[in-house]
Amino acid sequence: MASPICIYGNPVLRKKSEPVKEVTAETRTLADRMLGIMYAQDGIGLAAEQIGHTEAVFVLDIPVAADKNDQGLPNNPGVKMPQAFINPEIIGVSEETTVAEEGCLSFPKLYVPVERPAEVVLRYLDRDGNAQVLNAKGLLARAIQHELDHLNGVLLVDHMSPVGKLKHALLLRKLKKQNQEPQ
Ligand code: NI
């Protein structure tokens, strides 16, 4: 079976998401489906656009072991995973930034160093429709910003330096050609 993930070149990835008016069983079904697809691809995050939807929803399942500070302590203790984030909005960012390599299920085999604020405050609705505020750092903060980019139609390629774009020009062109809708 073909992967249900939309790859770079698919126009849906450039769409801006629509806020979810009311969190319903349908929203939860979408989130659960997204998690299933994400796990099947060994991902830690997935945005609705990546499976062809435009609802403002992303899901994350960050392993605690992958998100520790220099002292080996969890960056985000007490944050339960997996989680669905509905109508997410960043309401605060740290001045401090960090650079780390990011991958994306919509860009197979591409890893790009991206500079982002080290900490963010996220406001969102949880899967029961309750308003939540989350302070995130480390990998969780990075993943939140990556998935929120998707909901705004912003992709990994937009964070690449001119040199990086040259370096990966062939791969990017190939992906785009293979995944564009037939004209
Ligand atoms: Ni991505």
Side-chain angles (χ1 to χ4, degrees), residues 45-47 50 102-107 146-147 150 154-156:
L46 192 74
Q50 291 180 279
E102 294 183 15
C104 179
L105 293 176
S106 295
F107 289 84
H146 178 109
E147 301 311 334
H150 275 297
V154 175
L155 300 172
L156 207 48

Side-chain angles (χ1 to χ4, degrees), residues 98-103 111-116 142 146 149 156 159-160:
T98 60
V99 178
E101 287 214 324
E102 294 183 15
Y111 296 90
V112 177
V114 182
E115 181 173 13
R116 299 189 185 272
R142 179 167 294 279
H146 178 109
D149 271 358
L156 207 48
H159 289 284
M160 288 173 86

Side-chain angles (χ1 to χ4, degrees), residues 55-119:
E55 292 92 333
V57 177
F58 67 76
V59 294
L60 291 177
D61 194 353
I62 313 269
V64 174
D67 196 9
K68 291 183 171 171
N69 64 17
D70 294 342
Q71 283 80 48
L73 299 169
N75 278 320
N76 300 284
V79 177
K80 66 176 170 70
M81 289 286 159
Q83 265 206 75
F85 299 84
I86 300 157
N87 298 348
E89 187 190 353
I90 287 178
I91 55 172
V93 297
S94 63
E95 260 180 52
E96 188 202 345
T97 62
T98 60
V99 178
E101 287 214 324
E102 294 183 15
C104 179
L105 293 176
S106 295
F107 289 84
K109 295 182 193 147
L110 186 72
Y111 296 90
V112 177
V114 182
E115 181 173 13
R116 299 189 185 272
E119 297 182 30

Side-chain angles (χ1 to χ4, degrees), residues 85 89 91 120-125 130-136:
F85 299 84
E89 187 190 353
I91 55 172
V120 298
V121 183
L122 188 75
R123 185 162 61 195
Y124 65 101
L125 301 177
N130 297 317
Q132 304 282 354
V133 173
L134 173 65
N135 292 274

